Amino acid sequence: LVLEPTMAQPGDIHRACLMSPRAASASVCACIQAAANQTLTARDQRLAASFFADPGLAQEVRRSDRRRDERFWDRYRSFGETAERFCES
């Protein structure tokens, strides 16, 4: 799997990454966005992007008993593993 960051259409994750208080470089944020594009739906990406501004929301979703949240969390975990594997600086 090769992740190709596209700078033409920065997504929700890319923008949230750049605006984060712990902001990474633009190239790392682009790589994280590419990982999101491979593993998350557009709806998932909007939710995941909100975690950058409100980390507590991630814990709420992770602890949720709703099936939709559980399925999202499985995809989100896969996204995190993919981003970690391909975007380490």
Side-chain angles (χ1 to χ4, degrees):
L1 176 64
V2 175
L3 297 179
E4 297 281 336
T6 58
M7 297 306 287
Q9 290 280 327
D12 293 322
I13 300 284
H14 184 256
R15 285 188 291 275
C17 177
L18 289 174
M19 293 173 45
S20 170
R22 298 170 294 173
S25 70
S27 62
V28 170
C29 290
C31 183
I32 292 169
Q33 178 65 58
N37 292 343
Q38 293 291 321
T39 57
L40 300 174
T41 66
R43 181 178 183 178
D44 289 345
Q45 289 185 37
R46 286 189 297 276
L47 177 58
S50 70
F51 298 165
F52 284 84
D54 184 2
L57 179 58
Q59 291 306 310
E60 288 178 35
V61 172
R62 186 179 66 79
R63 285 184 257 164
S64 171
D65 291 334
R66 293 176 21 200
R67 183 71 183 132
R68 182 177 69 196
D69 289 340
E70 291 172 358
R71 287 190 309 260
F72 164 79
W73 200 258
D74 288 340
R75 292 186 302 273
Y76 184 73
R77 188 175 310 122
S78 176
F79 155 66
E81 291 167 358
T82 300
E84 186 174 338
R85 219 174 19 252
F86 292 102
C87 303
E88 288 187 28
S89 44

